[in-house]
Amino acid sequence: MALSLQFLHREEFESRTLRALGGGAGMGVLGALALRVWEPLTPVARLSLEPGYFAVVAAALAGARAVPGYGLGLRAALTVLPAFPFFFGAPDPLPQSVAGCVAAALVAWLGHGAQTANRPGAVAASAAAAGLLTPLGLYVQQVLDANFLGGTGLVSMLVGYTCVALFWAIGTLPANLQLHTDTVEARGQELGGRLKEGEAQELTQRALTLYRHCKTAALRLPASPGRSELLGVVEKMAAECFSLAEAHAGLTSQLDSVVANDVDAQVKELRARAAATQDTVARRQLELAASSLGEELNHLDALSRKRERLLAQLHAQVALLERARVSFIGAQGHELGSKGEQAAHLARKLKGLGEEPDATPAPPLPEDDTPAAAGTAAQGQRIPH
């Protein structure tokens, strides 16, 4: 099965990066002001603001959105733990790299914006990426400072700290990535989490559960062409369910953006005004406006009927997956002489589920005005065979 790399909560990653940039820039400004205030005391004691710590911690504090109940502890850990690598006297850029690792691990674990702690693999990947990118950000800062911003004070620290914060924030990207070995299952998981609560969302979750059961039962069979064919049939049936659910969600989004009762009330109001108007031209304009809104109302009604048919098709497709699961249960207790022959026979049986003579095809759906919606609806009308 093909690998699938899923980008989870893209908006959260983009928002975290922007907040980290703001945190780094703010720390750069504060650092420049602190150096300016400290300047008379420089002969006595030199003030050094290590960007590998201050820029990273500022970016982490600004970018983190803690899991409920861990906000105070996470911010305390982000302030204290990244400082420890600088006390061991290790050569640069090892302390900065370790500090970036620690901060990214904490943010990926408990500050990634979700309601629960993140997966250990995502935490480790984020720590490794930030550990590599933080020294790179420091190098870019040094190049900019040496060639373009040297001696500019506030601007130098503002750009430099922002640059380090940017590279560190990009290193937290693996916290929002998830690797799947099954693209169909990944699509079902993503769709189930995206759909609003309702009948379509429940059917999608049910289809995903049935697909997992069928796939597990099929993988128990030894490798053979029959088993590959069987897995392909099950994947196609599940993919059809998810396509129908996506089409239904698209139509639901369109219908939720417009309230049919409001349109109907506007039509009645325009017709009433037209009937009460004495001027012929004004009456004609009001009648045209009412007619235009009436066509829109008819279009909304057609979309509503299309949504009902897609939901009915989704019910039918989930029922086919249910029958497929029952077929697997029956096949486990019936030996056909060889497992390869058993898999091929079961694949042919599942293919025939959607081709029964008594199955009445669904009437054609009304055409939509938008090509994208029409394509989605056409995709949802397919029945596996």
Side-chain angles (χ1 to χ4, degrees):
M1 296 181 182
L3 295 177
S4 172
L5 188 62
Q6 191 175 5
F7 195 176
L8 304 174
H9 309 295
R10 175 181 175 181
E11 296 81 4
E12 170 58 28
F13 169 72
E14 295 173 348
S15 176
R16 180 170 67 242
T17 302
L18 290 175
R19 293 195 303 271
L21 289 175
M27 180 55 69
V29 173
L30 291 177
L33 294 177
L35 289 176
R36 181 62 62 87
V37 172
W38 192 265
E39 189 174 358
L41 302 177
T42 302
V44 179
R46 183 174 178 272
L47 178 63
S48 177
L49 299 178
E50 170 58 56
Y53 170 78
F54 287 98
V56 168
V57 169
L61 289 173
R65 291 179 59 188
V67 172
Y70 293 91
L72 184 60
L74 176 63
R75 281 165 174 75
L78 285 172
T79 304
V80 175
L81 294 182
F84 280 99
F86 294 94
F87 295 122
F88 295 98
D92 294 342
L94 184 58
Q96 294 85 349
S97 177
V98 176
C101 283
V102 172
L106 290 171
V107 171
W109 181 31
L110 295 174
H112 61 293
Q115 299 297 313
T116 58
N118 209 343
R119 296 162 284 109
V123 174
S126 296
L132 293 174
L133 290 176
T134 300
L136 181 59
L138 289 168
Y139 174 75
V140 173
Q141 180 226 4
Q142 293 170 3
V143 170
L144 291 174
D145 198 42
N147 294 282
F148 304 102
L149 304 173
T152 56
L154 176 62
V155 176
S156 175
M157 295 197 69
L158 174 64
V159 175
Y161 276 52
T162 304
C163 180
V164 175
L166 173 62
F167 278 83
W168 176 87
I170 294 174
T172 65
L173 175 62
N176 296 84
L177 296 178
Q178 188 170 1
L179 184 64
H180 294 274
T181 57
D182 189 335
T183 56
V184 176
E185 184 176 356
R187 181 185 180 191
Q189 287 181 342
E190 188 273 335
L191 186 61
R194 178 161 49 90
L195 294 179
K196 297 180 180 178
E197 291 187 4
E199 195 172 359
Q201 196 262 356
E202 294 175 359
L203 289 171
T204 302
Q205 295 290 356
R206 179 60 179 164
L208 180 60
T209 302
L210 292 171
Y211 169 70
R212 287 170 174 167
H213 288 168
C214 294
K215 185 181 71 171
T216 301
L219 291 176
R220 292 196 186 104
L221 300 173
S224 65
R227 191 185 78 166
S228 300
E229 182 182 5
L230 183 59
L231 287 172
V233 172
V234 173
E235 288 176 359
K236 183 177 180 181
M237 295 174 71
E240 291 292 340
C241 287
F242 301 145
S243 296
L244 290 169
E246 286 181 335
H248 181 272
L251 285 178
T252 300
S253 177
Q254 293 182 39
L255 291 171
D256 288 346
S257 63
V258 180
V259 180
N261 292 335
D262 292 346
V263 178
D264 187 43
Q266 293 179 30
V267 172
K268 292 179 180 179
E269 181 182 358
L270 288 172
R271 287 175 178 171
R273 286 190 176 186
T277 300
Q278 300 297 326
D279 185 74
T280 305
V281 177
R283 185 188 307 114
R284 179 58 179 166
Q285 290 177 342
L286 290 172
E287 289 175 349
L288 288 175
S291 176
S292 177
L293 285 178
E295 293 177 1
E296 180 65 21
L297 194 61
N298 293 334
H299 178 64
L300 292 176
D301 184 61
L303 289 179
S304 179
R305 292 197 304 270
K306 182 188 295 187
R307 182 177 61 176
E308 292 176 358
R309 294 180 184 180
L310 286 174
L311 185 60
Q313 289 178 335
L314 180 57
H315 272 285
Q317 196 68 25
V318 173
L320 288 179
L321 268 178
E322 186 73 55
R323 291 185 62 184
R325 185 180 67 88
V326 175
S327 298
F328 274 105
I329 295 174
Q332 291 174 1
H334 180 68
E335 293 294 337
L336 298 175
S338 68
K339 293 294 185 181
E341 183 182 354
Q342 182 181 2
H345 174 79
L346 189 55
R348 291 192 296 270
K349 181 179 179 180
L350 295 182
K351 281 184 178 181
L353 287 180
E355 301 175 353
E356 295 181 353
D358 56 346
T360 57
L365 300 178
E367 294 294 332
D368 195 3
D369 290 342
T370 58
T376 307
Q379 186 183 32
Q381 282 183 301
R382 295 177 296 175
I383 299 297
H385 52 78

